Amino acid sequence: MLPRSDSPNPNKSAPLLSSPPAPPFSDEDFFSTTTSVASGSSSSDSKPPSPTQSLPPQIPLTWPPDGVLTLSWVTNLMQAFDWASKSLPPSEFASVLSVEVFDQLVLTASKILHKELNCVKIDSESGLGSDSRVVVVGDVHGQLHDVLFLFKNAGYPDEDRFFVFNGDYVDRGAWGLEVFLLLLAWKVLMPHKVYLLRGNHESKYCTSVYGFEKEVLTKYGDRGKHVYRKCLGCFEGLPLASIIAGRVYTAHGGLFRGTVVTPSKRAKRKNRKVVHNPEANALTLGCLDELAKARRSVLDPPWEGSNLIPGDVLWSDPSMIPGLSPNKERGIGLLWGPDCTEEFLKKFNLK
């Protein structure tokens, strides 16, 4: 396993986004062909349209008058982003999706995301059945055409097909904004079939270093700062982890330490304050109850206190060395050994 190259170390830097590269596959329109999915998959309305259904995208995109998204609206969004990525310079992106439509989409999605638990559960209450498929997706990093191909290949979300995206939607690639907005649209359309977890790049620190901030400013010009701030606010609502079918734990980084909460000197007062003491329990594996209570709304320096568990969940790495130890290479998070994996799985009855 190769270590991830991103690091919260401020002395490290990365090249910022320049003009978008050419799409990574042929100019064949994404919607001009269909790809069959595995037998037992759901109805055809979850697949990309057939050649006879292929139409040019309707742009500029407008927000539905009733505020209710439909499958046709989301698929048109996909077409529009695909077309614009091949036909327009980044500076003209606002002619496809105005700031006003952006605001409506992000606001609607944020209301849904902020209500979700830190660790979302995809189970029978979400409609998960014995014939359901759950597609778990790793880092997509602004690769719009990879995401479009994914939906083409696996099928759209539907009653029996769930998607769990495991963070890092932005940075590195040229189309981070399109990727994030597309996935937000699917979240709004099917909130109990599409789950968007947070990655370590969904933070002000990473997006200011690895390209997303510059991408947004390029695409929206004078309104770019507003759009960027709205994206950061939406990032804060993204859940940190998921448990699928009661057995599979997913998180962008991995395991996390336990914390000891000690009362302040005014502990006897009704509205007492508490402080997290990361050193007192630094080498103890955390539990799901602690994850549930963590504050996920901010993840930027300092990586301590209420940021401690989220920092671990998003930045930690597995190691072949047993035990827990500080992740010195990153300067945040942990290294956890196979014994910690075994302990965590057994403790919470996970696979």
Side-chain angles (χ1 to χ4, degrees):
M1 180 190 70
L2 296 176
R4 292 178 295 183
S5 59
D6 47 290
S7 169
N9 187 335
N11 294 322
K12 289 190 176 183
S13 61
L16 296 178
L17 181 74
S18 57
S19 58
F25 54 76
S26 71
D27 289 337
E28 176 190 25
D29 187 85
F30 167 71
F31 295 95
S32 65
T33 59
T34 59
T35 300
S36 61
V37 296
S39 60
S41 60
S42 302
S43 59
S44 60
D45 63 357
S46 68
K47 301 176 185 177
S50 65
T52 57
Q53 295 173 295
S54 181
L55 296 172
Q58 298 177 9
I59 55 174
L61 294 155
T62 58
W63 190 250
D66 59 1
V68 178
L69 297 192
T70 62
L71 179 61
S72 61
W73 193 93
V74 176
T75 54
N76 182 65
L77 177 77
M78 295 169 71
Q79 285 180 284
F81 285 175
D82 186 41
W83 174 84
S85 70
K86 301 171 183 177
S87 307
L88 297 178
S91 59
E92 295 183 21
F93 180 75
S95 67
V96 176
L97 186 81
S98 68
V99 173
E100 290 71 27
V101 176
F102 164 88
D103 282 344
Q104 292 286 351
L105 176 57
V106 170
L107 176 62
T108 305
S110 292
K111 289 180 178 178
I112 297 172
L113 293 167
H114 278 83
K115 291 179 181 178
E116 292 185 327
L117 301 175
N118 285 348
C119 184
V120 295
K121 295 182 179 180
I122 299 96
D123 52 25
S124 58
E125 293 186 9
S126 308
L128 190 70
S130 58
D131 295 329
S132 299
R133 299 173 63 205
V134 181
V135 182
V136 181
V137 186
D139 308 15
V140 290
H141 275 307
Q143 297 301 327
L144 172 67
H145 306 94
D146 288 355
V147 175
L148 295 178
F149 179 80
L150 169 68
F151 284 125
K152 174 182 176 181
N153 186 265
Y156 291 165
D158 66 13
E159 290 305 310
D160 290 321
R161 187 181 296 111
F162 297 70
F163 281 81
V164 178
F165 289 86
N166 211 26
D168 278 15
Y169 311 108
V170 302
D171 287 334
R172 304 190 188 283
W175 302 282
L177 184 61
E178 289 91 325
V179 167
F180 187 55
L181 295 178
L182 170 58
L183 296 182
L184 288 183
W186 276 112
K187 180 65 181 177
V188 172
L189 180 65
M190 306 191 76
H192 301 298
K193 307 300 175 184
V194 176
Y195 294 88
L196 308 180
L197 307 185
R198 190 170 180 175
N200 60 326
H201 276 260
E202 278 70 59
S203 65
K204 189 176 189 301
Y205 168 77
C206 280
T207 53
S208 66
V209 173
Y210 291 93
F212 180 66
E213 181 181 18
K214 185 173 182 180
E215 175 193 342
V216 171
L217 296 179
T218 299
K219 289 177 178 176
Y220 278 104
D222 293 342
R223 304 294 301 277
K225 290 184 178 179
H226 165 83
V227 171
Y228 178 61
R229 286 196 300 269
K230 291 291 184 179
C231 286
L232 293 179
C234 192
F235 291 163
E236 293 179 354
L238 295 170
L240 301 175
S242 77
I243 293 181
I244 303 169
R247 304 305 301 275
V248 181
Y249 169 82
T250 69
H252 184 75
L255 300 185
F256 50 94
R257 77 193 79 188
T259 61
V260 172
V261 179
T262 57
S264 69
K265 294 180 180 179
R266 298 181 179 182
K268 294 182 180 180
R269 302 185 67 172
K270 184 176 180 181
N271 297 322
R272 67 182 184 179
K273 295 181 180 180
V274 294
V275 295
H276 291 258
N277 183 354
E279 298 302 325
N281 228 19
L283 300 180
T284 300
L285 199 60
C287 67
L288 293 179
D289 285 342
E290 290 175 300
L291 175 59
K293 296 174 183 177
R295 179 172 173 258
R296 74 175 190 244
S297 60
V298 178
L299 188 64
D300 279 297
W303 292 295
E304 58 189 25
S306 58
N307 270 353
L308 190 65
I309 287 179
D312 287 350
V313 172
L314 301 187
W315 287 91
S316 293
D317 292 305
S319 171
M320 294 304 295
I321 301 174
L324 292 173
S325 61
N327 197 332
K328 294 181 180 180
E329 181 179 352
R330 293 188 182 280
I332 180 175
L334 302 170
L335 297 175
W336 83 88
D339 58 325
C340 299
T341 300
E342 184 177 9
E343 177 186 343
F344 188 81
L345 297 180
K346 286 183 177 180
K347 184 174 182 180
F348 299 107
N349 193 31
L350 302 169
K351 287 185 176 180

